Amino acid sequence: MSTARGLETSALTSWGRTLRAPQLVFAPSWRDELPGALRAAVAARPGHGVLPMGLRRSYGDSGLNPEGAVLLTPALDRTIAFDPATRLLRAEAGLSLAALLAWIVPRGFFLPVTPGTRHVTLGGAVANDVHGKNHHGAGTFGRWVRALGLLRSDGTALELRPGDPLLAATIGGLGLTGLVTWVELELLPIASSVMQVEDEVFEDLDGFFRLAEASAGWDYTVAWVDCLAKGAALGRGIFSRGRHAAAGGLRAVEPPGLLRMPMDAPGFALNRLTLGAFNALYLAMGRRRSGRVRQVPYLPFFYPLDGIAQWNRLYGRRGFFQYQSVVPPAAQREATRAMLTAIAQAGEGSFLAVLKTFGPLPSPGLLSFPMEGTTLALDFANRGAPTLALLARLDAIVREAGGRLYPAKDGRMPAAMFRAGYPAWEGFQEHMDPHFSSAFWRRVAQP
Amino acid sequence: MTAPRHVLILGGTSGIAVATARLFAAEGAVIGLAGRDAARLAEVAADLTARGASAVPLFPLDLATEAEPAAQLAAMRDAMGGLDDVLLAYGMMGPQAEDERDATTARRTLDVNFTSAALWALAAAALIEAQGRGGLIVLGSVAGDRGRRKNFVYGAAKAGIAALMEGIAHRFGRPGAPPGLRAVLVKPGPTRTAMTAGMDREGGSWAEPEDVARIIRRAADKGGPIVYAPGRWRWIMLVIRHLPARIFNRLDI
Ligand SMILES: Cc1cc2nc3c(=O)[nH]c(=O)nc-3n(C[C@H](O)[C@H](O)[C@H](O)COP(=O)(O)OP(=O)(O)OC[C@H]3O[C@@H](n4cnc5c(N)ncnc54)[C@H](O)[C@@H]3O)c2cc1C
C-alpha cells in the first residue's frame, strides 16, 4: 500500500528528537518494489527529493528529509549469500547489525567494525562510514565493504566495488548518492563470544593519552571521561580495553527482558547534581576493578546502552544534541583539554562522555568522519540558547585545531564549519543523486 | 545428529512466516516455501539457506485459487522428503470500506482468508492424520474474536478459520487418535509486517514479527489449540468480547 502512495507522518524523528516535521514515508519490503517506490517518492515531492532511512540512530538531521519523501529500508533485511570460507556476507541494506549478530556469532563470526549500538542497518553503517572501538586497528566499516548495490533515481542499478569513485562517495555519503540496496561485507572470525576486558582509571588527560599509546596491542579501546572534573582532575576517567577471548563458547545471547524508558523524563532529571553523583559513582566503580582482566559477554561490552530501549527519552521532550569531534594528532592534547574545560565550566554534558584515539588507517569515503587523532563525543540536553552557545564555543576550538564534526551526530553545525572540516564536499556533489536530499544537506551545502 | 525437521510454509513470503522460518532455519530444518511469487520466494530461500536451513525447496503456486490442495500437499511432502509441520501463513487485508462497497473485493477477502485457507487446512489435517504424526499451525487473528467496524469482513473470515481449527484440534484430540497430532490456531495482534505498512503503527499494542514468530515456534512443540501472540491479547480480547454492546459501540477500535 504505502509502497505506491506513501504515508504522511510526523512520527519519524531521529535519535536526538530535536526536529519533528512531516515526511512522506515509503516502506517497500522487497527488492523488486524498490524502483517503483523510488520513482513514486521522487514524483511525490519534486522540490524536496527523497532520502533513504534506516533505523534512525543518527542523532540530528542528516537522516531526515522534512517536507520531503523518505524511503524506509528496515523491511529489506534478507541475507543474499554467505560463504563461511571467504567470510563474505551479502545482505539487503535494511538488515540490522543486531539481527546479523544473532546468527553469525553462533557460527563463529563477528562484525569487522561496529558502532556503539547494534540497532543500525547495513545501509546506515555504510552511509555514515561508522567506526568502533577498534578503529586504531581496523579502520572504518567502509574498509570492510567489498561490494554494494546502488539504485539511482533514474532507475539504474549499479554494482560498486572498491576503486570506483561512486563507491568512495557512497561510503560516508549520508544517503545522498542513491539507495544502497545490498552490501557485501567481510566478516571477522572469532573463537568465542566472550570478551576479555580490562579497565584502568586515569587521573587526568595525560593519563588518557599514555594509556591509549600503551594499549595499541588491544583490539578495542575506548575511554569514559568525567566531564565535570576541573583543574588537576580535568580529563580523568576510565580507560577500557578489550579483545575477543580464545575460549568460552559462541553464544548469540538474547538480552533478557529489555528495560524501557516508559516516558519522557522531566526536564530536571538530568542536571549538574544527578550528573555529578553518577560520575562519582561510576569512577568509584572503575577504581574498584581497575587493572583486573575480566571476562564479559560481548553485548554489554559493545552495546552498554542497548539494554535500555529508548534511553534517548531520558533527555525529555526537547530532545538533545550529541557533539562528536575529531582533532588531528598535532593539536589533540590542547584541543581536547580546551573542550573539556569549556564543558566543565558550563556544567553541561552528559553521563556518557567518550574519548578515543583514531588510528592512521585512511577512511575510504569522501565524506568519512574518522581521521587520525582524538575523538570526543558527548550528549547535551537541548536547553536552547545556552546549549547552542556552548556548542559554538566548542566549534571554534575544533576548527582552530583543524578538526571536524560527525554529521551522524550533528543537528546544528554552521555550513562554514562543515565545509572547513570536509574540503571534499564540493567534489562530492558531482556524485550525488539529483533527487536525493536531507535537512542536513540543505543546511550545510545550500545556504 | 538428529534428523532435520521438515516444515512446509504456505505463504512463504508473509512477514510473520519469514520470521518464523528463520527460527527453523537456525535449527537446520528443511523448509518448503509455497507462495505466488517465485522471485520473492527465491529471495527468502537464499536468506534461510545462509542462516542454516538444510534445504529450502520452493513451490510457486497461487494458494488462494489452487483447486487440488490434497494432491499438491502430497507432492510437496514427497519433494521435501517428509513433513513434520505445516504452517499456514498467507492472507490479505484490504481497506474494510472497499469490502463493504464492492462484492468482488469482499469475496476476494473471504476466499483468500477463509475458503482457500480452510481447504488447505482440511487437506493438511488429513495428510497429518494419515501419517499419524505432525503439526498444523494456522495464523488466525484477534480480529476474528469480535466483529469490529474497522475490519469485520476480514475478521469474519478469521473467525471462520478459528472455528475450523478448533474442530480439527477437537478431532485430533479424540480418544484413540494417534498421539502425535497437533493443531494450533495462532492469533496475532497487530504486527508490523508489510500487510500493515499503510497503518499508523506507533504505540505499544504493535508487535514485531519476531515476537510472534517465537510464539509460533513454541506452538509447534507445545501449547493449547488457541495461542495468542503476544499472550496478553488473550486477556484483552476476553474483555473486548464481553463488553456490552452499548459500550462497545462507542469505541472507535
Ligand atoms: C547509542 C548510539 C551509539 C552510536 N555509536 C556510534 C559509534 O560508536 N560509531 C559511529 O560511527 N556511529 C555511532 N552511532 C551512530 C550510528 O552508527 C549511525 O548514525 C548510523 O548511520 C545509524 O544507522 P541507521 O540504520 O540507524 O541509519 P539512519 O540513522 O536511519 O540513517 C543514517 C544515514 O544513512 C542513510 N541511509 C540509511 N540507509 C541507507 C541506504 N539503504 N542507502 C543509502 N543511504 C542510507 C540515511 O539517509 C542517513 O543519511 C551511534 C548511535 C547511537 C544511537
Side-chain angles (χ1 to χ4, degrees):
Chain A
M1 233 179 319
S2 65
T3 9
R5 276 184 275 118
L7 179 80
E8 183 88 18
T9 174
S10 301
L12 296 181
T13 58
S14 67
W15 195 245
R17 307 201 311 157
T18 51
L19 180 62
R20 283 162 218 271
Q23 303 174 95
L24 187 68
V25 181
F26 292 80
S29 310
W30 300 92
R31 296 205 284 284
D32 63 34
E33 292 174 329
L34 289 177
L38 194 50
R39 222 177 305 119
V42 166
R45 289 289 190 271
H48 289 86
V50 60
L51 185 72
M53 196 182 250
L55 283 166
R56 298 182 278 132
R57 286 320 193 271
S58 298
Y59 284 71
D61 57 356
S62 67
L64 299 174
N65 195 20
E67 318 294 337
V70 296
L71 208 147
L72 266 180
T73 63
L76 291 148
D77 67 348
R78 283 163 288 263
T79 302
I80 298 167
F82 173 53
D83 182 350
T86 58
R87 308 201 301 264
L88 290 183
L89 174 112
R90 184 180 286 208
E92 291 174 351
L95 180 66
S96 76
L97 302 187
L100 182 57
L101 286 167
W103 72 266
I104 61 172
V105 166
R107 285 171 182 74
F109 297 96
F110 203 76
L111 295 163
V113 167
T114 176
T117 172
R118 68 200 197 285
H119 300 299
V120 309
T121 61
L122 290 174
V126 168
N128 277 321
D129 195 13
V130 299
H131 58 270
K133 298 177 186 173
N134 59 350
H135 183 276
H136 56 285
T140 64
F141 190 88
R143 290 179 64 95
W144 301 85
V145 170
R146 298 291 168 254
L148 62 75
L150 188 73
L151 182 65
R152 304 272 289 187
S153 63
D154 63 9
T156 42
L158 304 163
E159 182 167 332
L160 306 177
R161 291 187 178 272
D164 191 319
L166 189 48
L167 183 69
T170 299
I171 291 177
L174 303 168
L176 298 168
T177 62
L179 178 74
V180 175
T181 51
W182 54 263
V183 176
E184 186 172 288
L185 190 67
E186 184 179 329
L187 299 181
L188 181 78
I190 50 170
S192 164
S193 56
V194 172
M195 302 299 298
Q196 260 181 1
V197 180
E198 185 180 46
D199 289 348
E200 190 99 45
V201 168
F202 51 93
E203 303 297 342
D204 57 20
L205 201 55
D206 288 334
F208 163 77
F209 284 108
R210 264 197 308 277
L211 277 165
E213 266 162 44
S215 306
W218 289 73
D219 296 335
Y220 301 95
T221 63
V222 71
W224 168 85
V225 278
D226 176 357
C227 61
L228 292 180
K230 295 184 188 168
L234 184 86
R236 73 172 169 199
I238 305 172
F239 193 93
S240 76
R241 42 199 189 185
R243 57 169 73 102
H244 297 280
L250 291 161
R251 266 184 300 273
V253 267
E254 284 288 322
L258 214 61
L259 287 173
R260 186 177 287 275
M261 275 298 286
M263 53 181 181
D264 296 333
F268 58 78
L270 198 97
N271 57 35
R272 249 199 107 96
L273 219 69
T274 50
L275 188 59
F278 173 86
N279 284 5
L281 206 78
Y282 199 69
L283 205 65
M285 238 170 61
R287 281 190 210 289
R288 262 218 319 278
R289 63 183 186 213
S290 198
R292 197 154 29 88
V293 179
R294 295 170 297 139
Q295 311 269 335
V296 299
Y298 80 88
L299 275 187
F301 176 73
F302 285 105
Y303 314 109
L305 285 169
D306 282 359
I308 310 167
Q310 298 175 355
W311 60 260
N312 52 341
R313 302 178 74 169
L314 187 64
Y315 291 95
R317 284 277 308 163
R318 298 177 72 189
F320 67 108
F321 294 104
Q322 179 158 96
Y323 192 90
Q324 182 166 9
S325 59
V326 59
V327 287
Q332 60 191 9
R333 286 170 193 258
E334 302 83 277
T336 308
R337 185 179 311 280
M339 282 192 280
L340 287 173
T341 306
I343 293 162
Q345 263 163 12
E348 298 222 29
S350 56
F351 301 115
L352 263 200
V354 173
L355 202 54
K356 159 150 186 71
T357 45
F358 283 151
L361 290 170
S363 300
L366 283 184
L367 299 184
S368 292
F369 162 68
M371 62 175 178
E372 188 175 11
T374 297
T375 179
L376 173 67
L378 293 113
D379 296 330
F380 294 93
N382 179 13
R383 288 188 238 276
T387 311
L388 294 173
L390 170 61
L391 300 184
R393 268 206 300 292
L394 301 181
D395 283 355
I397 299 167
V398 174
R399 269 194 81 164
E400 167 79 28
R404 60 192 180 206
L405 302 184
Y406 192 2
K409 309 284 181 76
D410 177 63
R412 47 141 298 275
M413 76 167 110
M417 177 87 189
F418 172 75
R419 295 174 186 193
Y422 296 88
W425 78 280
E426 272 180 292
F428 170 79
Q429 280 179 306
E430 69 194 59
H431 297 290
M432 280 177 61
D433 187 296
H435 292 291
F436 279 54
S437 183
S438 69
F440 173 85
W441 195 255
R442 293 196 283 277
R443 182 158 62 77
V444 302
Q446 286 158 18
Chain B
M1 282 278 293
T2 48
R5 193 157 178 152
H6 290 69
V7 184
L8 173 63
I9 300 183
L10 304 175
T13 56
S14 102
I16 291 174
V18 171
T20 311
R22 285 173 172 173
L23 298 179
F24 282 113
E27 300 168 17
V30 173
I31 304 169
L33 298 177
R36 230 172 2 168
D37 193 317
R40 292 182 183 181
L41 287 178
E43 288 177 12
V44 176
D47 180 60
L48 298 178
T49 304
R51 288 164 179 264
S54 295
V56 189
L58 303 183
F59 308 107
L61 81 164
D62 188 343
L63 294 154
T65 59
E66 174 59 45
E68 304 273 353
Q72 285 288 1
L73 272 178
M76 290 189 243
R77 177 199 51 201
D78 295 345
M80 288 172 66
L83 193 56
D84 297 299
D85 308 270
V86 176
L87 171 63
L88 195 161
Y90 70 92
M92 57 156 293
M93 182 166 50
Q96 162 85 15
E98 281 170 36
D99 282 343
E100 288 180 49
R101 198 169 49 230
D102 179 356
T104 318
T105 311
R107 180 186 295 278
R108 174 119 187 105
T109 297
L110 294 169
D111 277 350
V112 172
N113 295 302
F114 179 69
T115 311
S116 75
L119 296 176
W120 281 101
L122 286 169
L127 182 145
I128 285 167
E129 194 163 356
Q131 66 183 25
R133 47 166 209 95
L136 169 63
I137 306 158
V138 174
L139 284 196
S141 167
V142 293
D145 279 11
R146 188 162 190 180
R148 292 180 288 123
R149 58 181 176 267
K150 280 199 171 149
N151 64 1
F152 63 81
V153 178
Y154 173 80
K158 291 295 189 183
I161 281 297
L164 184 97
M165 285 303 292
E166 280 182 310
I168 291 175
H170 197 216
R171 180 178 164 78
F172 278 7
R174 71 186 185 277
L181 308 179
R182 291 184 62 70
V184 187
L185 182 76
V186 177
K187 295 184 182 179
T191 309
R192 292 191 182 90
T193 63
M195 193 202 247
T196 57
M199 303 178 180
D200 178 7
R201 305 192 291 189
E202 298 299 310
S205 65
W206 285 84
E208 298 301 328
E210 292 73 24
D211 303 331
V212 176
R214 273 192 292 275
I215 290 166
I216 295 174
R217 175 64 195 86
R218 204 174 329 123
D221 289 337
K222 51 175 179 269
I226 294 198
V227 172
Y228 284 82
R232 63 174 183 275
W233 283 102
R234 173 182 301 278
W235 312 111
I236 298 170
M237 294 317 294
L238 187 73
V239 171
I240 289 184
R241 272 205 315 278
H242 289 92
L243 284 178
R246 92 194 120 71
I247 297 175
F248 179 66
N249 290 348
R250 284 204 218 146
L251 299 179
D252 185 29
I253 55 174

